[in-house]
Amino acid sequence: MKSPADDARLRAQLAYLLPPPEVPDLSPERRLALRREVLSTAGARPRRRVPRFAVPAVGGAVAAGLVLVVLAGGSPAPPAPRADVVAAPDAGHVLGRAALAAAAAPRTAVRPEQFVYIESLVAYAGRRADGGPASPPAAAHRRQVWLSADGTRQGLLRETGAPDTPLDVSGPVERLAHRGATPEPGVLGPGAPSIARPTHAYVSALPTDPEVLLRLVYAQTRPPAGGDPHQRAFTAIGTLLAETWAPPSVTAALYEAAARIPGTTVLESAKDAAGREGVAVARAAGGEQTQWVFDRSTSAFLGERTVLTRATAAGPAGTVLGSSAVLARAVTNRPGEHPPVVSTTPRP
């Protein structure tokens, strides 16, 4: 007859022989929920000050002897971090909070025959085709765009001081690989939707798994020989954030995907074209730094800036080549129509 000890020994042997159970991967939604819980818990944790203790006189010799032993063994150990000092956030932290805020936003229904309306302020420096010095940016002006939701209808671009421009009309145009680049001749006309040519229908169907989405962005923004694929991906995601109105789950995935791009940094303070100050996530390549500005309290995307990080033919380091500020997003039934109710980011 087996004893309880024999049964315990048998179970231990079987557990050793059997493989460990598989751990299922988390869904993007569950991953966002866990990140929200971790960040909210970290933000609510109270700060504690480390008390300072005096060494009693009777133990002074012993304490001194311990210090001498540590120093004799090599360089002193680094001091323990103070509990009342909060480290500066990294890009992943800022983008993670932006993803959580985006995921919690309500989704707006857009019918295929409707238009996505985006209102912004923009200010860009003049760039010469021969690559000479850039002229200083003019004052920020209003920009309105009506984009066909399914890409089959003619949209409209309206900017202060310029005639209205119909969108998706075949004809010769000058293309820019990125803001501030030398214009290249091309033809504008109907084409298949893509990361570089998004429609609302296309953006709404993008993957919500950040890894899958990032692979798609890299595949569709592959640069020419010698280009920086990470910067192309970062710029493309920034354009999607500023120039489209993706569903909350897709917007959150875009932020999560951007957090996986190497070389991103955080600027503690930056301003968009409307003068709104916030924290920025930035990435630099080729002497130019692209900055995404976020509201400090809501983590809402405010706008973009492009700044020279070193002296180039366009100007000295610190020259602002362009800036934008997203003011409103809405849905209309036809181009040129002003929606009575819009979704806005914080006004200046």
Side-chain angles (χ1 to χ4, degrees):
M1 180 174 174
K2 293 183 178 180
S3 65
D6 294 332
D7 290 338
R9 190 182 307 106
L10 180 59
R11 285 195 297 268
Q13 291 174 348
L14 290 175
Y16 176 78
L17 293 174
L18 292 175
E22 293 185 1
V23 179
D25 191 17
L26 296 175
S27 66
E29 292 77 12
R30 180 57 179 157
R31 196 158 44 234
L32 273 175
L34 289 175
R35 179 186 281 272
R36 182 183 295 110
E37 182 177 351
V38 171
L39 288 178
S40 61
T41 303
R45 182 178 295 121
R47 299 178 181 179
R48 296 181 300 166
R49 293 190 177 273
V50 179
R52 297 180 181 179
F53 298 95
V55 179
V58 69
V62 177
L66 288 175
V67 172
L68 289 175
V69 171
V70 173
L71 294 179
S75 58
R82 286 172 49 188
D84 62 339
V85 176
V86 179
D90 59 10
H93 184 85
V94 175
L95 292 171
R97 286 195 174 277
L100 294 179
R107 175 167 182 160
T108 300
V110 183
R111 299 193 303 272
E113 72 276 10
Q114 291 183 307
F115 293 80
V116 172
Y117 168 83
I118 299 176
E119 178 187 346
S120 57
L121 290 178
V122 296
Y124 294 112
R127 302 293 297 272
R128 294 167 45 180
D130 61 2
S135 60
H141 63 274
R142 189 184 190 196
R143 180 181 185 273
Q144 299 167 285
V145 63
W146 289 262
L147 304 170
S148 172
D150 64 0
T152 64
R153 294 161 178 80
Q154 187 179 84
L156 178 67
L157 170 64
R158 179 173 293 165
E159 294 194 63
T160 303
D164 288 356
T165 303
L167 300 178
D168 292 328
V169 177
S170 298
V173 297
E174 287 186 325
R175 296 189 182 277
L176 297 178
H178 57 83
R179 287 173 179 158
T182 301
E184 300 175 355
V187 175
L188 178 67
S194 64
I195 294 295
R197 191 187 181 93
T199 63
H200 181 76
Y202 177 83
V203 172
S204 298
L206 285 175
T208 56
D209 184 310
E211 292 287 354
V212 176
L213 178 56
L214 187 59
R215 286 197 295 269
L216 177 65
V217 172
Y218 272 109
Q220 293 197 17
T221 59
R222 194 171 289 115
D228 185 338
H230 306 305
Q231 189 68 14
R232 292 280 286 239
F234 188 82
T235 301
I237 291 176
T239 300
L240 291 175
L241 295 172
E243 295 290 318
T244 67
W245 195 10
S249 59
V250 174
T251 303
L254 287 170
Y255 289 130
E256 294 277 3
R260 290 162 165 77
I261 298 177
T264 55
T265 58
V266 170
L267 301 179
E268 288 299 319
S269 180
K271 290 185 178 180
D272 66 5
R276 298 175 299 190
E277 191 272 343
V279 62
V281 172
R283 195 180 190 284
E288 296 183 9
Q289 184 184 66
T290 301
Q291 305 170 2
W292 301 346
V293 186
F294 295 92
D295 183 86
R296 292 185 185 279
S297 59
T298 67
S299 293
F301 178 86
L302 298 181
E304 289 184 296
R305 287 202 341 151
T306 303
V307 181
L308 289 180
T309 58
R310 56 178 172 82
T312 69
T319 299
V320 178
L321 298 179
S323 62
S324 66
V326 179
L327 301 181
R329 305 177 200 262
V331 179
T332 67
N333 293 318
R334 58 184 178 274
E337 178 183 44
H338 291 273
V341 179
V342 295
S343 171
T344 62
T345 52
R347 286 282 180 172

